[in-house]
């Protein structure tokens, strides 16, 4: 360890004391540590939230290491960055606001400008809308104001269509993307809480082949396999997961670290002379602080250094800081992992909890386990346009209006509008019908006239027979 290396010059007894001070408290590994995913909080068995997370790696750098970048102190490398955000029905209005806050915070960590990072945003549900292009805004404030104005689209989760639209319309030179000779990285950050309702394999493969680096951020009910399918390799650097939208904002610092230009930062290069923690001030300058680097100051879970040289205690996901500002308490049974929910555990305001199921599943009578609702909801069903469920185990494909199902019973083709050709025979038939109708009408009029005459004569005859 680098901390021990920096203390080897101390005498034996002092070296032993130093080692004891520097060792982190012993902890057991998390129950679902996944080497392919970065997490804030974890899920329990079968995807249920609530297990106590394994302690996070220190976010500070020892003398010979690198410190984690902080807002405003790390110069980011130039990017063509496109956010692809899910605003389907499952994302509630308050949660969508949290997504927009996350996007704004990531923008805050970047060096924005025509010659630096350019940002676009693709909003999607069952339809896709490009909210603004890479060339639309060139300053942070305008970008953040544009993000605030975005409204959710509310239905569906067509992730594949959204990625394809980003390739075809956002990552183009006409839309503001820089060409291959510029050596500017093309990056997409996909944020979703569900499972794609269309095919993503082929479109993701094309996106990677075109040089787009894909990051997948999953929230709450997000399907982990789908996240891995959409992200670039290595997965442990491109797939992120958070339990709730309430903590998604914390991921902004992860992306700040990812997009940091290490060539300009002596702390990240490890060329500083700090004894404890190196803090970059930008332009190649740095300073040293770090009380948490020496001891944890009584923090039960995490000790965080402040820029002023002081510190504060924080808690892991699913825990809250107590009034003593040092110890932590679990938010509820979901955080403790004793809930028994197969899929999702939700804490109620009264201290109780209830279980919910992923999209496409139905909660069983035991109120804890879940059963699949239909193959259409789960996918991949293979239907090009519409999947119609015939029960839990069967389905058939259908097409949108204006299309017809092909012989393979899965794909669709457009219906060509038939021309209305009127033949000579049809014309004659139509003319004969009209003439017949006119004859019948004329006959009825003559008949009515005769009836009127007869009625009038009868009335005259009746008046003539009345006695005076």
């Amino acid at each position: 360890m680098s901390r021990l290396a920096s203390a080897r010059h101390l005498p034996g007894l002092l070296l032993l004391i130093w080692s004891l001070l520097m060792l982190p408290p012993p902890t057991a590994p998390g129950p679902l540590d996944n080497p392919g995913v970065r997490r804030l909080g974890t899920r329990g068995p079968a995807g249920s939230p609530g297990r106590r997370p394994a302690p996070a790696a220190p976010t500070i750098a020892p003398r010979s290491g690198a410190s984690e970048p902080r807002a405003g102190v790390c110069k980011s490398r130039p990017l063509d960055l496109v956010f692809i955000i899910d605003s389907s029905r499952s994302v509630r209005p308050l949660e969508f606001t949290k997504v927009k806050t996350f996007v704004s915070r990531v923008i805050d960590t970047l060096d924005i400008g025509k010659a630096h990072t350019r940002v676009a945003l693709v909003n999607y549900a069952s339809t896709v809308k490009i909210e603004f292009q890479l060339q639309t805004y060139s300053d942070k404030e305008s970008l953040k104001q544009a993000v605030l104005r975005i409204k959710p689209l509310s239905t569906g989760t067509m992730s594949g269509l959204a990625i394809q639209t980003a390739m075809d319309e956002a990552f183009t030179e006409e839309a503001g993307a820089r060409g291959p000779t510029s050596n500017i990285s093309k990056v997409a950050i996909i944020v979703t809480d569900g499972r794609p309702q269309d095919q993503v394999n082929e479109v993701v493969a094309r996106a990677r082949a075109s040089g787009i680096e894909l990051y997948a951020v999953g929230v709450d009910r997000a399907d982990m396999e789908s996240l891995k399918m959409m992200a670039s390799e290595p997965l442990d650097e491109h797939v992120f997961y958070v339990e709730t939208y309430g903590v998604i904002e914390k991921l902004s610092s992860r992306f700040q670290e990812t997009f940091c230009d290490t060539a300009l930062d002596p702390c990240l290069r490890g060329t500083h002379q700090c004894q404890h923690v190196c803090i970059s001030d930008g332009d190649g300058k740095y300073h040293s602080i770090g009380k948490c680097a020496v001891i944890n100051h009584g923090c039960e879970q995490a000790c965080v250094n402040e820029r002023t040289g002081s510190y504060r205690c924080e808690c892991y996901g699913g825990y809250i800081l107590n009034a003593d500002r040092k110890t932590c308490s679990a938010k509820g049974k979901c955080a403790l992992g004793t809930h028994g929910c197969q899929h999702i555990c939700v804490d109620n305001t009264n201290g109780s909890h209830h279980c919910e199921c992923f999209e496409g599943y139905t909660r069983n009578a035991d109120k804890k386990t879940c059963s699949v609702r239909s193959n259409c909801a789960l996918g991949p069903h293979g239907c090009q346009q519409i999947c119609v469920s015939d029960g839990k185990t069967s389905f058939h494909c259908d097409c949108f209006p204006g299309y017809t199902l092909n012989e393979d019973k899965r794909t669709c083709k457009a219906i060509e509008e038939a021309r209305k050709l009127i033949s000579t025979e049809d014309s004659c038939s139509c003319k004969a019908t009209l003439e017949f109708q006119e004859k019948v009408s004329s006959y009825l009029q003559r008949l009515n006239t005769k009836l009127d005459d007869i009625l009038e004569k009868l009335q005259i005859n009746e008046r003539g027979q009345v006695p005076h």
Side-chain angles (χ1 to χ4, degrees):
M1 294 176 57
S2 56
R3 292 176 177 172
L4 291 177
S6 64
R8 285 175 180 167
H9 64 282
L10 297 175
L13 180 59
L14 186 57
L15 177 60
L16 177 61
I17 295 174
W18 176 267
S19 302
L20 292 173
L21 285 173
M22 297 305 295
L23 285 174
T27 55
L32 280 179
D33 289 342
N34 188 337
V37 182
R38 293 190 182 187
R39 295 171 179 252
L40 282 183
T42 62
R43 289 194 174 197
S48 58
R51 299 292 186 183
R52 179 187 177 107
T59 58
I60 52 179
R63 175 185 176 93
S64 60
S67 63
E68 180 174 337
R70 297 167 185 268
V73 298
C74 173
K75 185 175 180 63
S76 65
R77 54 191 170 94
L79 303 169
D80 285 338
L81 174 61
V82 176
F83 288 94
I84 304 176
I85 60 174
D86 176 2
S87 65
S88 57
R89 186 186 297 109
S90 60
V91 184
R92 300 176 179 89
L94 181 59
E95 295 172 338
F96 192 66
T97 299
K98 292 287 186 181
V99 174
K100 294 194 290 185
T101 301
F102 160 70
V103 173
S104 294
R105 289 197 174 182
V106 173
I107 290 172
D108 267 332
T109 69
L110 303 172
D111 292 293
I112 302 296
K114 292 183 178 180
H116 300 288
T117 292
R118 302 179 184 180
V119 178
L121 192 142
V122 176
N123 186 9
Y124 80 95
S126 58
T127 59
V128 179
K129 179 182 179 183
I130 297 183
E131 298 288 350
F132 50 86
Q133 298 281 20
L134 292 168
Q135 63 185 1
T136 307
Y137 303 107
S138 57
D139 63 278
K140 290 184 181 180
E141 195 56 38
S142 297
L143 276 172
K144 292 194 291 184
Q145 288 299 318
V147 171
L148 284 175
R149 293 192 294 269
I150 297 172
K151 304 295 183 184
L153 300 177
S154 297
T155 59
T157 311
M158 306 297 281
S159 304
L161 179 62
I163 297 172
Q164 185 66 57
T165 302
M167 275 197 299
D168 294 343
E169 301 181 30
F171 283 113
T172 64
E173 294 186 41
E174 293 79 10
R178 284 158 284 193
T181 58
S182 65
N183 200 29
I184 301 296
S185 299
K186 290 178 172 57
V187 176
I189 299 177
I190 306 162
V191 183
T192 181
D193 73 340
R195 179 194 302 269
Q197 294 177 348
D198 57 355
Q199 299 296 320
V200 298
N201 296 23
E202 293 183 4
V203 67
V204 167
R206 290 195 297 271
R208 292 170 180 163
S210 68
I212 299 173
E213 186 176 8
L214 298 164
Y215 290 85
V217 176
V219 185
D220 195 17
R221 298 175 176 84
D223 176 60
M224 194 61 67
E225 292 305 315
S226 298
L227 294 177
K228 294 178 182 179
M229 189 184 304
M230 291 188 289
S232 297
E233 296 284 352
L235 294 180
D236 62 339
E237 296 179 7
H238 293 85
V239 178
F240 298 87
Y241 174 78
V242 291
E243 290 287 353
T244 67
Y245 283 98
V247 296
I248 191 173
E249 300 164 19
K250 295 184 179 180
L251 285 179
S252 60
S253 61
R254 299 286 187 92
F255 283 102
Q256 180 188 15
E257 175 186 1
T258 299
F259 300 146
C260 186
D261 192 344
T262 58
L264 301 177
D265 195 331
C267 292
L268 295 179
R269 291 202 315 268
T271 58
H272 56 83
Q273 300 298 317
C274 302
Q275 183 179 7
H276 291 158
V277 180
C278 175
I279 301 298
S280 174
D281 298 320
D283 299 325
K285 299 178 181 179
Y286 64 92
H287 66 279
S288 174
I289 61 171
K291 289 188 176 182
C292 290
V294 182
I295 56 176
N296 71 353
H297 288 276
C299 297
E300 181 180 13
Q301 292 187 356
C303 177
V304 180
N305 285 305
E306 300 281 11
R307 287 294 305 273
T308 59
S310 61
Y311 69 95
R312 71 179 188 276
C313 298
E314 288 190 357
C315 301
Y316 303 134
Y319 292 80
I320 56 174
L321 197 63
N322 295 327
D324 60 10
R325 315 305 297 173
K326 291 182 180 291
T327 59
C328 304
S329 297
K331 290 181 179 178
K333 288 188 177 180
C334 291
L336 292 174
T338 58
H339 46 78
C341 298
Q342 183 181 9
H343 283 180
I344 302 164
C345 177
V346 179
D347 282 311
N348 301 325
T349 55
N350 60 0
S352 63
H353 73 285
H354 68 275
C355 302
E356 292 185 1
C357 298
F358 296 141
E359 185 176 357
Y361 290 81
T362 301
R363 192 171 58 174
N364 295 327
D366 62 8
K367 304 298 185 182
K368 292 181 179 291
T369 59
C370 304
S371 298
V372 61
R373 185 163 60 237
S374 71
N375 285 358
C376 288
L378 287 179
H381 43 72
C383 297
Q384 184 180 16
Q385 293 186 357
I386 302 172
C387 178
V388 180
S389 177
D390 298 322
K392 290 185 177 181
T393 59
S394 63
F395 65 92
H396 69 274
C397 300
D398 204 347
C399 300
F400 298 136
Y403 292 81
T404 183
L405 201 63
N406 290 325
E407 292 182 359
D408 60 9
K409 302 300 182 182
R410 292 184 181 273
T411 59
C412 302
K413 63 181 178 183
I415 301 174
E416 296 183 1
E417 186 177 358
R419 297 180 179 178
K420 298 179 180 179
L421 301 175
I422 302 177
S423 65
T424 304
E425 292 181 359
D426 292 335
S427 178
C428 292
S429 176
C430 180
K431 184 176 180 181
T433 302
L434 290 174
E435 289 177 351
F436 176 75
Q437 289 176 345
E438 289 176 356
K439 288 180 180 179
V440 171
S441 179
S442 177
Y443 177 78
L444 289 174
Q445 286 178 353
R446 291 197 302 271
L447 182 60
N448 285 332
T449 301
K450 290 181 179 180
L451 287 173
D452 290 340
D453 291 341
I454 293 172
L455 289 172
E456 185 177 355
K457 290 178 181 180
L458 288 173
Q459 289 174 353
I460 294 172
N461 188 32
E462 288 177 357
R463 285 197 298 268
Q465 292 178 358
V466 175
H468 290 82

